[in-house]
């Protein structure tokens, strides 16, 4: 049975209360997105203030681990206990974690408080988007989806600059305090305007066993991904083997649970499965590109960090513009043509990106990434809408969260893989040019890419380093192309037909009207 929400049977204009809720959700999502990027700029100053450089990477890793692990759990909580409790629970964790991070007196404390931040951040996007999907029918959602896609893009661009300004003119602590007013505004707006639509279930029905097992599996997997370079091959093999066993145990628990954390029958829904697979490979290619573009500009073109960050503008603006366009196009042409066009653009941009070298100028690089950003905007928003529209309201929270979860896993795996490829090729290039580099090693590169350090090197050494970085990053960008090619296969399996026709045709996991 298809729900009234899925059939688009809630016509009418968006009311003032709905607008206030949407703005509140947008504020929370922007807050979470900004925190992803703003902290990095401040960390050298944090190290100078608190010491504990050995814990530097864990300030980021702890946040990512907590956020990724909790994403499907918050999604289930939104379906089981209600959207408001889940959203406010995540918001409270994030605000408190931000306040404590700003007040941290040691790096160990900062790692702990960043973990709390990550636990809360996991709720903001999936539960926030679930609230929006509750309020809006398909047509309304398709037209407004670009607002939320744009949050991440804008935050990725302005985050480093905001972090640098706050650190320079106020204090690094304000990098974390900045989230508090956004969180408070989101709490007030959503609390005053959003009315819960679904009944809450008893807390005793929570699938604690499934939550614990999947958390252990994901923690181990992400540790291998994030810190894999510090492990021996047999340790990685053992860890991955344990992950597989925990995954099988999780499936066994979910099959026996009366109300599983992730209902396995969701994977019989064709569109949900396609959105998950696409999210995994799109996360590898699109978000991996986002992380390595500034490094290319800074290491090959010789700019500073702020100038390097500007390369994200031609990547983000097309994405932000294409997201609402894709939402409108799927209403007219259906999912398959829009996703096929988007993936074609991503592949075209990835082919160009895989050919960059030390002679690639800023204009050509901008054109390459603009094409990728345009394709990403068309596909990512469209498939999120498709997945939400293919399930009843009782599965909306968990569906939104696992799609976002797949994208996060893809981003982590993609970034780690690109980093490993780059480091491998860079080590080979530097070993080959040892005589030109005067004894410099890969360990010295974190300072060599700084303009002031580069001025101490000979022109020959600088030229060789630029060539080495360009070659190494070209290999890494080749992985983007491979991931994009695999992800593009999704478009061939998306059913034909309009969005509403597919919603009626898709099997609904629980058959319950929403």
């Amino acid at each position: 049975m298809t729900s009234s929400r899925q059939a688009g049977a809630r016509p009418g204009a968006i009311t003032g209360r709905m607008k206030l809720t949407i703005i509140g959700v947008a504020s929370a999502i922007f807050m979470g997105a900004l925190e992803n990027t703003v902290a990095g700029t401040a960390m050298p100053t944090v190290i100078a203030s608190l010491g504990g450089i050995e814990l530097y990477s864990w300030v980021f890793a702890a946040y990512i681990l907590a956020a990724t692990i909790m994403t499907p759990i918050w999604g289930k909580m939104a379906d089981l206990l209600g959207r408001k409790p889940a959203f406010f629970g995540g918001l409270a964790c994030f605000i408190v974690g931000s306040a404590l991070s700003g007040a941290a007196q040691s790096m160990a404390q900062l790692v702990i408080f960043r973990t709390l931040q990550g636990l809360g951040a996991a709720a903001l996007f999936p539960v926030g988007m679930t609230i929006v999907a509750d309020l809006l029918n398909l047509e309304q959602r398709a037209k407004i989806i670009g607002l939320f896609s744009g949050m991440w893009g804008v935050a990725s661009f302005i985050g480093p600059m905001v972090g640098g300004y706050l650190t320079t003119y106020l204090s690094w602590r304000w990098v974390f305090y900045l989230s508090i007013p956004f969180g408070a505004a989101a709490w007030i707006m959503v609390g005053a305007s959003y009315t819960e639509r679904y009944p809450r279930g008893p807390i005793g029905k929570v699938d604690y066993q499934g939550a614990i097992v999947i958390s252990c599996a994901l923690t181990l997997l992400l540790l291998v991904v994030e810190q894999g370079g510090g492990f021996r091959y047999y340790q990685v093999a053992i860890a991955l083997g344990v992950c597989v066993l925990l995954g099988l145990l999780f499936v066994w628990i979910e099959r026996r649970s009366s109300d599983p954390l992730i209902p396995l029958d969701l994977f019989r829904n064709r569109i949900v499965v396609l959105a998950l697979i696409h999210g995994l490979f799109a996360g590898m290619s699109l978000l991996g590109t986002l992380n390595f573009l500034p490094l290319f500009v800074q290491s090959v073109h010789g700019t500073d960090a702020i100038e390097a960050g500007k390369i994200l503008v031609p990547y983000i603006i097309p994405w932000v513009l294409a997201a609402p366009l894709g939402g409108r196009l799927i209403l007219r042409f259906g999912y398959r043509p829009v996703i096929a066009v988007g993936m074609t653009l991503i592949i075209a941009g990835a082919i160009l990106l895989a050919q960059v070298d030390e002679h690639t100028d800023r204009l050509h690089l901008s054109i390459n990434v603009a094409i990728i950003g345009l394709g990403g905007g068309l596909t990512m928003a469209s498939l999120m809408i498709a997945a939400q529209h293919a399930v009843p309201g009782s599965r909306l929270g968990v569906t939104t969260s696992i799609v976002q979860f797949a994208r996060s896993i893809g981003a982590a795996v993609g970034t780690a893989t690109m980093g490993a490829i780059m480091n491998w090729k860079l080590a080979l290039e530097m070993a080959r040019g040892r005589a030109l580099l005067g004894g410099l090693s890969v360990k010295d590169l974190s300072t060599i890419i700084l303009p002031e350090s580069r001025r101490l090197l000979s022109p020959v050494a600088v030229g060789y380093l630029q060539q080495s970085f360009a070659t190494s990053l070209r290999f890494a960008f080749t992985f983007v192309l491979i991931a994009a090619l695999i992800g593009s296969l999704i478009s061939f399996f998306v059913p034909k037909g309009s969005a509403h026709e597919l919603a009626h045709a898709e099997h609904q996991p629980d058959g319950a009207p929403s």
Side-chain angles (χ1 to χ4, degrees), residues 12 30 49-50 82 97 208-209 234 245 248 265 324 329 341 406 417 436 459 468 472 512:
F30 180 75
S49 173
L50 301 180
Y208 295 106
Q209 288 182 328
Y234 75 88
L245 293 177
L248 294 174
D265 53 12
L329 289 175
V341 170
T417 303
L436 297 174
S468 299
S472 304

Side-chain angles (χ1 to χ4, degrees), residues 373-388:
L374 190 64
L378 287 176
T379 56
M380 296 288 268
S382 299
L383 276 165
M384 178 62 83
I385 294 173
Q388 289 182 328

Side-chain angles (χ1 to χ4, degrees), residues 35-97:
E35 189 59 42
N36 272 335
T37 58
V38 74
T41 312
M43 284 313 299
T45 305
V46 174
I47 291 294
S49 173
L50 301 180
I53 192 171
E54 69 277 3
L55 296 176
Y56 182 90
S57 63
W58 278 101
V59 174
F60 304 101
Y63 182 94
I64 294 170
L65 282 169
T68 305
I69 290 166
M70 281 298 295
T71 295
I73 297 174
W74 280 121
K76 182 62 178 180
M77 294 301 98
D79 287 339
L80 184 60
L81 305 180
R83 315 315 193 204
K84 263 190 172 181
F87 186 74
F88 287 157
L91 202 54
C93 285
F94 194 91
I95 293 172
V96 172

Side-chain angles (χ1 to χ4, degrees), residues 271-421:
I271 292 179
V272 171
V273 171
L274 292 176
L276 290 173
I277 298 173
H278 175 271
L280 183 67
F281 288 100
M284 291 183 189
S285 56
L286 295 171
L287 300 177
T289 300
L290 182 73
N291 291 330
F292 281 85
L293 280 173
L295 179 60
F296 182 92
V297 175
Q298 191 168 1
S299 60
V300 178
H301 293 169
T303 66
D304 58 25
I306 294 177
E307 286 297 315
K310 292 180 181 178
I311 192 60
L312 299 178
V313 175
Y315 184 75
I316 291 164
I317 290 179
W319 187 306
V320 173
L321 295 177
L325 175 63
R328 292 174 182 271
L329 289 175
I330 63 174
L331 296 176
R332 183 171 181 178
F333 299 106
Y335 297 121
R336 179 187 278 190
V338 177
I339 293 168
V341 170
M343 292 308 303
T344 301
L345 288 170
I346 293 173
I347 291 172
I351 290 173
L352 295 173
L353 198 60
Q355 300 180 57
V356 296
D357 57 28
E358 65 273 21
H359 303 297
T360 303
D361 59 28
R362 191 70 168 262
L363 176 61
H364 286 86
L365 187 63
S366 297
I367 293 172
N368 297 353
V369 302
I371 295 171
I372 296 177
L374 190 64
L378 287 176
T379 56
M380 296 288 268
S382 299
L383 276 165
M384 178 62 83
I385 294 173
Q388 289 182 328
H389 199 60
V391 299
S394 59
R395 299 289 177 85
L396 189 56
V398 70
T399 300
T400 304
S401 68
I402 62 174
V403 172
Q404 182 63 23
F405 166 74
R407 294 174 179 181
S408 298
I409 292 292
V413 172
T415 300
T417 303
M418 290 178 70
I421 293 171

Side-chain angles (χ1 to χ4, degrees), residues 5 61 408 462:
R5 176 185 63 79
S408 298
V462 170

